Amino acid sequence: MPSRARSSAMKVAAVLLVLPLLLGCGCCSLPGLLFDEIFGGQRHTFTEQDLVGDWTSDCGGTVSIRADGTATVIDLPIHRTRNAADDMVETKAAGEYKWHIEPETDDTDQEVRFTTTLSDEEVFAAHAERDWTGFDDLEYYLSTPSEPIYCVLSK
């Protein structure tokens, strides 16, 4: 067998061996670790200056982040659930919020957290989208009755 064909066959075999492990792993961090190790993807950090500006979500809504630690959120979907009639109902964040950067730890990625201006209750949090080129988008979870939906905020 030529070496190129053998190399391709070995990659396919490796994927077929690892795939059941990934599918059976569910919510564990193994898929993310394999992504990092095999493909070189990583989370990128951001600064306050990176965050200031107007962001639009691919799930709808906008976030305007200001340097003074405040933000205006307009119709940003943050939760979907079903009502008694089995209709999908979407909860949207809107209004004035405070924001701060939560540093990365051994167990968590760096996040920007948005809280209410009166009670400091967290409404939603976002982290840098995983890619190979550097920080440019934020990713947050839209919670749903089944699986969370990943939404991306872009400038």
Side-chain angles (χ1 to χ4, degrees):
M1 179 182 279
S3 82
R4 181 176 287 231
R6 182 176 299 156
S7 176
S8 295
M10 290 176 67
K11 287 178 183 177
V12 169
V15 168
L16 291 175
L17 289 172
V18 172
L19 188 59
L21 179 62
L22 294 177
L23 294 175
C25 196
C27 295
C28 72
S29 60
L30 184 60
L33 292 173
L34 288 174
F35 178 88
D36 289 346
E37 291 301 318
I38 295 171
F39 301 108
Q42 59 182 1
R43 297 245 187 242
H44 298 277
T45 58
F46 46 84
T47 65
E48 290 183 7
Q49 294 81 11
D50 293 326
L51 297 175
V52 173
D54 296 326
W55 297 80
T56 302
S57 172
D58 64 345
C59 292
T62 61
V63 179
S64 294
I65 298 175
R66 293 182 288 280
D68 67 357
T70 62
T72 301
V73 177
I74 301 173
D75 295 331
L76 187 73
I78 57 170
H79 183 73
R80 287 185 186 152
T81 190
R82 295 206 177 273
N83 63 15
D86 204 33
D87 296 323
M88 190 62 73
V89 178
E90 191 168 75
T91 302
K92 295 182 179 184
E96 295 299 312
Y97 294 86
K98 294 186 288 185
W99 66 272
H100 71 276
I101 295 174
E102 193 70 28
E104 180 179 18
T105 68
D106 288 342
D107 299 324
T108 62
D109 294 317
Q110 178 190 35
E111 290 185 326
V112 55
R113 295 194 178 168
F114 295 85
T115 59
T116 59
T117 55
L118 298 177
S119 67
D120 282 338
E121 178 182 342
E122 184 174 308
V123 178
F124 68 99
H127 55 262
E129 184 180 29
R130 186 181 300 265
D131 66 15
W132 293 271
T133 60
F135 171 74
D136 56 0
D137 292 326
L138 292 169
E139 182 177 74
Y140 73 99
Y141 303 107
L142 172 60
S143 62
T144 68
S146 54
E147 295 294 319
I149 297 171
Y150 298 96
C151 300
V152 176
L153 290 162
S154 301
K155 278 189 175 183

